[in-house]
Amino acid sequence: MAEGDLKLLGFFTSPFAIRVRMVLEQKGLSYEYLEEDLTNKSELLLKHNPIYKKVPVLIHGDRSICESLVILQYIDENWSGSGPPLLPADPYERAIARFWAAYIDEKFVESFWGILKAGREETKAEKIADSIGVLKQLEEVFKKCSAGTGKGFFGGDTIGFIDVTLGSQLAWMKAIEKISGAKLLDETNIPLLMEWVNRFLAIDFVKSILPNVERVAEVGRVFQATIWKVDLAK
């Protein structure tokens, strides 16, 4: 199947679609990006992801691949000769990368989105503490990944599976800081990880793909207001 048959269905603030775009760019692959209106989902989205009806969806010819981490692995394996590898060659190291990527999506995303959902100050403080705790854990992971090597990313000299999983969340982290007043990205708590953040954000294709933080914050405020209205109505 030709590379030119690639389409990606996404939404501009979706970190899960953003990470797929990053890997497509890093691999140097040509693709058509189709922005979805999530309040009025397209027939194309409903056809290619009838189970979850959400983005991202990678369409490769007549094949549909859903769920961002699955899509990343598909791209890495299908275009192994294009660009740097996303996952390590060693089976154990591949398993470790998958583990921490899942940890970010399951534990960290839940905690920092919980800051927006929190309706009481004590609940918000708890979610902020949870998020900081996870970031400190990831600081230790990065320390182990780069120990004695001088490498700048979780994936080595170039961004890998863990890097794009976490890096795709940076615009939302900064937006949630802006909305809530929380300080998540703090050099005092995570000095090595903050160096990683600066290196990651300096990459050209990352800068071109990550959305404006204020625009993300606008979406976050709407989401927060909607959640609070639902809570008040219960």
Side-chain angles (χ1 to χ4, degrees):
M1 229 175 280
E3 173 191 317
D5 295 330
L6 276 177
K7 293 182 176 68
L8 176 65
L9 308 184
F11 183 67
F12 81 101
T13 66
S14 167
F16 309 104
I18 287 166
R19 65 178 56 151
V20 176
R21 291 183 66 194
M22 287 178 179
V23 171
L24 288 168
E25 294 290 337
Q26 186 183 32
K27 290 280 188 182
L29 301 175
S30 298
Y31 65 100
E32 182 181 2
Y33 176 69
L34 300 171
E35 182 80 3
E36 278 291 324
D37 177 357
L38 298 183
T39 62
N40 183 25
K41 296 175 182 178
S42 72
E43 288 300 318
L44 192 63
L45 175 58
L46 298 177
K47 174 186 175 182
H48 286 279
N49 193 356
I51 305 301
Y52 294 115
K53 303 177 178 64
K54 63 182 182 179
V55 296
V57 179
L58 184 71
I59 304 171
H60 186 199
D62 58 356
R63 299 173 179 172
S64 311
I65 306 95
C66 306
E67 298 298 299
S68 65
L69 296 184
V70 176
I71 295 170
L72 297 187
Q73 292 174 73
Y74 177 81
I75 294 169
D76 197 40
E77 292 171 9
N78 204 60
W79 289 281
S80 58
S82 298
L86 191 62
L87 282 157
D90 179 77
Y92 175 76
E93 295 299 329
R94 288 169 72 87
I96 293 299
R98 290 189 182 109
F99 174 87
W100 288 113
Y103 176 83
I104 290 164
D105 277 2
E106 292 168 13
K107 181 69 175 174
F108 183 54
V109 173
E110 177 187 350
S111 65
F112 83 73
W113 271 93
I115 298 170
L116 277 188
K117 296 177 183 178
R120 300 187 306 275
E121 283 303 313
E122 59 269 28
T123 307
K124 185 172 84 169
E126 178 184 330
K127 293 299 180 182
I128 292 170
D130 287 347
S131 299
I132 292 171
V134 175
L135 285 169
K136 286 181 177 179
Q137 177 66 66
L138 291 171
E139 169 94 350
E140 293 304 310
V141 175
F142 180 71
K143 189 183 296 184
K144 289 179 182 177
C145 287
S146 61
T149 67
K151 297 184 185 297
F153 300 99
F154 288 92
D157 290 321
T158 58
I159 66 173
F161 201 62
I162 302 174
D163 297 283
V164 292
T165 303
L166 182 59
S168 61
Q169 302 287 351
L170 285 171
W172 269 109
M173 280 187 249
K174 290 174 178 288
I176 288 172
E177 285 184 326
K178 186 179 286 287
I179 295 167
S180 67
K183 186 63 176 174
L184 302 177
L185 300 171
D186 187 346
E187 291 181 358
T188 304
N189 291 325
I190 49 169
L192 294 179
L193 208 55
M194 287 306 301
E195 290 178 8
W196 169 86
V197 167
N198 292 332
R199 279 191 293 271
F200 189 86
L201 292 178
I203 298 169
D204 287 341
F205 66 77
V206 170
K207 289 188 285 188
S208 69
I209 292 170
L210 277 180
N212 176 271
V213 171
E214 188 51 55
R215 289 191 70 198
V216 177
E218 288 172 10
V219 173
R221 291 184 187 101
V222 171
F223 169 81
Q224 187 180 60
T226 304
I227 289 293
W228 285 359
K229 282 180 183 177
V230 171
D231 287 343
L232 289 171
K234 289 180 180 178

